[in-house]
Amino acid sequence: MRLVNFIFDSEIEIGVAGHPRFLDLHNIYSWQGIVYLPEKQQVTLTWTRPDGDRIQPDLPSLIVLEFRGVSRLAASPHDPEMPYSEDTCLDEVTVSPPEPPSDFKGEDKLFRNDSGHITFMFRSGFSLKIWADEVELWHDRMPNSSRE
């Protein structure tokens, strides 16, 4: 999978040119959901930044990761003992090899590996695996962004 205009700086942070560790998807942003368009082979994941004094106001308020050329999508179940509010809190992102294991436990932590596939694991135990050709970052602070 090709990361078009960003990298994963850590298990929870997205970096863009000139802004390492720029977007913290665990401590700052809340995951809002997924849109899967099978005929377009596209998946979008969206995060929002809460308003408030303790959050840097210069950070984007909306982040979208758009996956194109999606060949597979898998989800693991939410832990029934956990509140659904924990589905919004990303615990970690991992990039797995081109032929990943079928379970959600055998992930490699290779954040800058463009050939792998991405797994998003949330605090509630819910996980998403996405196999795609590429993924691009969009946010509302990008110049001329059509995603605002």
Short mmCIF file of all heavy atoms in Angstrom, two decimals, residues 6 11 15 18 27-29 32 39-40 45 47 50 53 60 85-86 94 110-111 113 128 131:
data_model
loop_
_atom_site.label_atom_id
_atom_site.label_comp_id
_atom_site.label_asym_id
_atom_site.label_seq_id
_atom_site.Cartn_x
_atom_site.Cartn_y
_atom_site.Cartn_z
N PHE A 6 1.71 11.27 3.36
CA PHE A 6 1.96 11.25 4.80
C PHE A 6 2.71 9.98 5.16
O PHE A 6 2.89 9.09 4.33
CB PHE A 6 0.63 11.32 5.57
CG PHE A 6 -0.17 10.04 5.51
CD1 PHE A 6 -0.11 9.12 6.54
CD2 PHE A 6 -0.98 9.76 4.42
CE1 PHE A 6 -0.83 7.93 6.48
CE2 PHE A 6 -1.71 8.59 4.35
CZ PHE A 6 -1.63 7.66 5.38
N GLU A 11 2.85 4.69 16.44
CA GLU A 11 1.64 3.86 16.46
C GLU A 11 0.35 4.68 16.43
O GLU A 11 -0.72 4.12 16.18
CB GLU A 11 1.62 2.98 17.71
CG GLU A 11 2.75 2.00 17.78
CD GLU A 11 2.79 1.25 19.08
OE1 GLU A 11 2.04 1.59 20.02
OE2 GLU A 11 3.57 0.29 19.16
N GLY A 15 2.48 11.92 10.31
CA GLY A 15 3.39 13.01 9.98
C GLY A 15 3.24 13.39 8.52
O GLY A 15 2.99 12.55 7.67
N GLY A 18 7.32 18.50 6.70
CA GLY A 18 7.47 19.73 7.47
C GLY A 18 6.79 19.72 8.83
O GLY A 18 6.93 20.65 9.60
N ASN A 27 -4.52 10.85 21.18
CA ASN A 27 -4.71 11.82 22.26
C ASN A 27 -5.52 13.05 21.88
O ASN A 27 -6.10 13.69 22.75
CB ASN A 27 -3.34 12.28 22.78
CG ASN A 27 -2.60 11.16 23.46
OD1 ASN A 27 -3.10 10.54 24.36
ND2 ASN A 27 -1.39 10.89 22.98
N ILE A 28 -5.55 13.39 20.60
CA ILE A 28 -6.22 14.62 20.19
C ILE A 28 -7.51 14.36 19.43
O ILE A 28 -8.54 14.97 19.72
CB ILE A 28 -5.27 15.50 19.35
CG1 ILE A 28 -4.08 15.93 20.22
CG2 ILE A 28 -6.01 16.70 18.78
CD1 ILE A 28 -3.03 16.73 19.49
N TYR A 29 -7.48 13.43 18.49
CA TYR A 29 -8.63 13.23 17.59
C TYR A 29 -9.52 12.06 18.03
O TYR A 29 -9.04 11.11 18.63
CB TYR A 29 -8.13 13.00 16.17
CG TYR A 29 -7.53 14.25 15.57
CD1 TYR A 29 -6.18 14.54 15.72
CD2 TYR A 29 -8.32 15.17 14.91
CE1 TYR A 29 -5.63 15.70 15.20
CE2 TYR A 29 -7.78 16.33 14.38
CZ TYR A 29 -6.44 16.58 14.53
OH TYR A 29 -5.91 17.73 14.02
N GLN A 32 -14.61 9.08 13.94
CA GLN A 32 -16.04 9.29 13.71
C GLN A 32 -16.69 8.15 12.94
O GLN A 32 -17.88 7.92 13.09
CB GLN A 32 -16.27 10.61 12.95
CG GLN A 32 -15.79 11.81 13.72
CD GLN A 32 -16.47 11.92 15.07
OE1 GLN A 32 -17.70 12.03 15.13
NE2 GLN A 32 -15.71 11.88 16.15
N GLU A 39 -18.30 -0.27 -5.03
CA GLU A 39 -18.19 -0.14 -6.48
C GLU A 39 -17.03 0.78 -6.88
O GLU A 39 -16.46 0.63 -7.95
CB GLU A 39 -19.50 0.35 -7.09
CG GLU A 39 -20.57 -0.72 -7.04
CD GLU A 39 -21.84 -0.32 -7.75
OE1 GLU A 39 -21.89 0.73 -8.41
OE2 GLU A 39 -22.82 -1.09 -7.64
N LYS A 40 -16.67 1.71 -6.01
CA LYS A 40 -15.52 2.59 -6.26
C LYS A 40 -14.23 2.02 -5.68
O LYS A 40 -13.17 2.61 -5.85
CB LYS A 40 -15.75 3.97 -5.64
CG LYS A 40 -16.80 4.79 -6.34
CD LYS A 40 -16.84 6.18 -5.74
CE LYS A 40 -17.75 7.08 -6.52
NZ LYS A 40 -17.69 8.46 -6.03
N LEU A 45 -11.92 6.90 6.30
CA LEU A 45 -11.98 6.94 7.75
C LEU A 45 -11.86 8.41 8.14
O LEU A 45 -11.02 9.12 7.60
CB LEU A 45 -10.84 6.15 8.38
CG LEU A 45 -10.73 4.67 8.01
CD1 LEU A 45 -9.51 4.06 8.68
CD2 LEU A 45 -11.99 3.93 8.42
N TRP A 47 -11.69 11.41 11.33
CA TRP A 47 -11.45 11.80 12.72
C TRP A 47 -11.76 13.28 12.87
O TRP A 47 -11.57 14.06 11.93
CB TRP A 47 -9.98 11.60 13.09
CG TRP A 47 -9.59 10.21 13.39
CD1 TRP A 47 -9.51 9.62 14.61
CD2 TRP A 47 -9.17 9.20 12.45
NE1 TRP A 47 -9.08 8.31 14.50
CE2 TRP A 47 -8.87 8.03 13.18
CE3 TRP A 47 -9.03 9.17 11.06
CZ2 TRP A 47 -8.43 6.87 12.57
CZ3 TRP A 47 -8.60 8.01 10.45
CH2 TRP A 47 -8.31 6.88 11.20
N PRO A 50 -11.77 17.82 18.95
CA PRO A 50 -12.73 18.55 19.78
C PRO A 50 -12.32 20.01 19.94
O PRO A 50 -11.13 20.33 19.85
CB PRO A 50 -12.69 17.83 21.12
CG PRO A 50 -11.37 17.15 21.17
CD PRO A 50 -10.99 16.85 19.73
N ASP A 53 -9.84 24.68 24.94
CA ASP A 53 -8.62 25.44 25.23
C ASP A 53 -7.37 24.58 25.24
O ASP A 53 -6.29 25.05 24.93
CB ASP A 53 -8.75 26.15 26.58
CG ASP A 53 -9.80 27.24 26.54
OD1 ASP A 53 -10.13 27.71 25.43
OD2 ASP A 53 -10.31 27.60 27.61
N PRO A 60 -5.75 20.82 12.28
CA PRO A 60 -6.99 20.63 11.53
C PRO A 60 -8.11 20.12 12.44
O PRO A 60 -7.86 19.37 13.38
CB PRO A 60 -6.62 19.55 10.51
CG PRO A 60 -5.14 19.55 10.45
CD PRO A 60 -4.65 20.02 11.77
N SER A 85 -18.21 4.27 23.50
CA SER A 85 -17.39 5.48 23.41
C SER A 85 -15.92 5.15 23.19
O SER A 85 -15.18 5.96 22.63
CB SER A 85 -17.57 6.34 24.66
OG SER A 85 -17.17 5.60 25.81
N GLU A 86 -15.49 3.95 23.59
CA GLU A 86 -14.09 3.55 23.40
C GLU A 86 -13.79 3.19 21.94
O GLU A 86 -12.63 3.04 21.57
CB GLU A 86 -13.73 2.39 24.32
CG GLU A 86 -13.77 2.75 25.79
CD GLU A 86 -12.80 3.88 26.16
OE1 GLU A 86 -11.63 3.85 25.72
OE2 GLU A 86 -13.22 4.80 26.88
N THR A 94 -1.02 -0.33 12.80
CA THR A 94 0.11 -1.17 12.39
C THR A 94 0.03 -1.40 10.89
O THR A 94 -1.04 -1.37 10.29
CB THR A 94 0.12 -2.53 13.11
OG1 THR A 94 -1.08 -3.22 12.82
CG2 THR A 94 0.26 -2.37 14.60
N LEU A 110 5.70 -1.84 11.41
CA LEU A 110 6.58 -1.27 10.39
C LEU A 110 5.89 -0.04 9.83
O LEU A 110 5.27 -0.08 8.78
CB LEU A 110 6.85 -2.28 9.28
CG LEU A 110 7.42 -3.63 9.72
CD1 LEU A 110 7.42 -4.61 8.56
CD2 LEU A 110 8.83 -3.45 10.27
N PHE A 111 5.97 1.07 10.51
CA PHE A 111 5.14 2.23 10.20
C PHE A 111 5.46 2.86 8.86
O PHE A 111 4.61 3.47 8.25
CB PHE A 111 5.29 3.27 11.30
CG PHE A 111 4.94 2.70 12.63
CD1 PHE A 111 5.93 2.52 13.58
CD2 PHE A 111 3.67 2.30 12.92
CE1 PHE A 111 5.62 1.96 14.80
CE2 PHE A 111 3.35 1.75 14.13
CZ PHE A 111 4.34 1.58 15.08
N ASN A 113 6.48 1.23 6.07
CA ASN A 113 6.51 0.21 5.03
C ASN A 113 5.37 0.45 4.05
O ASN A 113 4.22 0.23 4.34
CB ASN A 113 6.36 -1.17 5.69
CG ASN A 113 6.35 -2.28 4.69
OD1 ASN A 113 6.32 -2.06 3.48
ND2 ASN A 113 6.35 -3.50 5.18
N LEU A 128 -10.04 -2.59 12.49
CA LEU A 128 -10.30 -2.57 11.05
C LEU A 128 -9.01 -2.90 10.32
O LEU A 128 -7.95 -2.35 10.66
CB LEU A 128 -10.75 -1.18 10.59
CG LEU A 128 -12.15 -0.75 10.93
CD1 LEU A 128 -12.31 0.73 10.62
CD2 LEU A 128 -13.15 -1.57 10.14
N TRP A 131 -6.98 -3.51 3.02
CA TRP A 131 -6.04 -3.82 1.95
C TRP A 131 -6.39 -2.90 0.80
O TRP A 131 -7.53 -2.91 0.31
CB TRP A 131 -6.20 -5.27 1.49
CG TRP A 131 -5.75 -6.30 2.47
CD1 TRP A 131 -4.55 -6.96 2.44
CD2 TRP A 131 -6.48 -6.84 3.58
NE1 TRP A 131 -4.50 -7.88 3.48
CE2 TRP A 131 -5.67 -7.81 4.19
CE3 TRP A 131 -7.74 -6.59 4.13
CZ2 TRP A 131 -6.07 -8.54 5.31
CZ3 TRP A 131 -8.15 -7.30 5.25
CH2 TRP A 131 -7.31 -8.25 5.83
#
